[in-house]
């Protein structure tokens, strides 16, 4: 029928426009700032970011900024998601824990980049919404749980990588303890002034490296 065909066409046109917006987002905000890992760039080109933001924000889904999710939480800025995933420096197939599922966007990027993904969200409503969204968009392989991610996910540990999407006052010791040999933790640390840190497990212990000034919502829960 004509009406159905035109509705379908406009849906397809909207998806094409979103794909073009993602290609621009990756070129102008991410590759231009030095993220090079091809699997990370490809993942950000593929994951439909506009489907993870509230409807009222869809037109601004690809802007160079975080997007509010409600509950005082945000979907991180595209560059920060790409930078943090690249900073894990892990091969495809690696086991990665995300703390702070939020919308599920970064979890989808991690899955598209080829990792096996576990993700924990402390707010049950956000965790429930993210579960539905990830399943609908084909990322049903991501294991999700509502709970305090500052304590990690002991039953699924050890992880090759842990990426935290909310700022901790200090690096949570429980997360370091759940890193496998040569595992890496990428985490924002601080209060008003925050920096993204990478903690790498080495044969001798742990090595830490300050990567970038950032601004994240605070980590809550027992480790905050
Ligand atoms: N990665 C998300 C960004 C979410 S913002 C995305 O791509 O959309 C940070 C999230 O961390 C918020 O949803 C917040 O509720 C959650 N959070 C804060 N403290 C937490 C904790 N201790 N454990 C799990 N999630 C936490």
């Amino acid at each position: 029928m004509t009406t159905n065909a035109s509705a379908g066409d406009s849906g397809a046109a909207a998806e094409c426009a979103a794909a073009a917006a993602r290609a621009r987002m990756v070129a102008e905000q991410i590759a231009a700032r030095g993220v090079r890992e091809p699997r990370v760039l490809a993942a950000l080109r593929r994951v439909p970011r506009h489907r993870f933001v509230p409807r009222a924000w869809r037109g601004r889904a690809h802007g160079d900024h975080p997007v509010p999710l409600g509950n005082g939480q945000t979907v991180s800025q595209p560059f920060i998601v790409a930078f943090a995933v690249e900073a894990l420096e892990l091969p495809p197939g690696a086991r990665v824990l995300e703390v702070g599922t939020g919308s599920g966007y970064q979890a989808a990027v991690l899955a598209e980049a080829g990792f096996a993904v576990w993700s924990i969200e402390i707010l049950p409503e956000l965790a429930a919404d993210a579960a539905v969204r990830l399943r609908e968009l084909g990322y049903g392989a991501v294991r999700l749980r509502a709970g305090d991610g500052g304590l990690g996910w002991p039953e699924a540990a050890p992880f090759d990588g842990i990426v935290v999407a909310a700022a901790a006052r200090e690096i949570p010791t429980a997360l370091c303890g759940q890193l496998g040999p040569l595992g890496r933790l990428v985490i924002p640390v601080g209060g008003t002034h925050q920096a993204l840190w990478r903690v790498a497990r080495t044969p001798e212990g742990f090595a830490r490296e300050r990567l970038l000034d950032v601004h994240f919502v605070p980590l809550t829960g027992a480790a905050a």
Side-chain angles (χ1 to χ4, degrees):
M1 265 168 51
T2 329
T3 39
N4 283 347
S6 67
D9 286 350
S10 76
E15 291 308 315
C16 284
R22 291 198 296 278
R24 259 198 323 276
M25 170 187 95
V26 169
E28 293 170 8
Q29 301 170 32
I30 298 172
R33 291 192 186 120
V35 174
R36 290 278 173 269
E37 170 56 50
R39 282 179 304 110
V40 175
L41 299 177
L44 274 108
R45 272 188 219 103
R46 275 200 296 267
V47 176
R49 183 170 166 91
H50 64 297
R51 303 284 294 274
F52 289 84
V53 307
R55 207 164 273 279
W57 277 83
R58 285 208 174 159
R60 286 167 288 172
H62 307 99
D64 194 11
H65 47 70
V67 172
L69 262 184
N71 294 300
Q73 306 306 330
T74 58
V75 189
S76 307
Q77 179 189 2
F79 167 69
I80 293 295
V81 172
F83 185 91
V85 175
E86 182 181 61
L88 290 169
E89 293 182 327
L90 291 171
R95 299 161 53 86
V96 175
L97 172 68
E98 179 196 30
V99 175
T101 315
S103 67
Y105 176 69
Q106 180 163 258
V109 169
L110 288 163
E112 280 285 4
F115 303 126
V117 185
W118 286 256
S119 183
I120 309 187
E121 169 56 50
I122 204 162
L123 297 176
E125 327 79 85
L126 286 183
D129 287 355
V132 172
R133 190 176 294 123
L134 285 166
R135 207 176 321 115
E136 278 175 6
L137 294 173
Y139 301 107
V142 172
R143 287 86 159 172
L144 289 174
R145 170 198 273 192
D148 184 354
L151 307 174
W153 191 321
E155 305 87 326
F159 299 100
D160 303 306
I162 301 178
V163 61
V164 182
R169 284 289 174 169
E170 283 168 19
I171 295 169
T173 49
L175 297 184
C176 295
Q178 290 176 32
L179 288 176
L182 310 180
R184 293 185 189 85
L185 165 65
V186 173
I187 181 169
V189 182
T192 322
H193 298 287
Q194 301 171 2
L196 195 68
W197 287 79
R198 176 167 50 206
V199 181
R201 194 190 269 270
T202 67
E204 296 77 36
F206 293 97
R208 60 174 73 179
E209 196 184 338
R210 189 181 195 282
L211 302 176
L212 187 74
D213 288 331
V214 288
H215 190 74
F216 279 82
V217 297
L219 188 77
T220 58

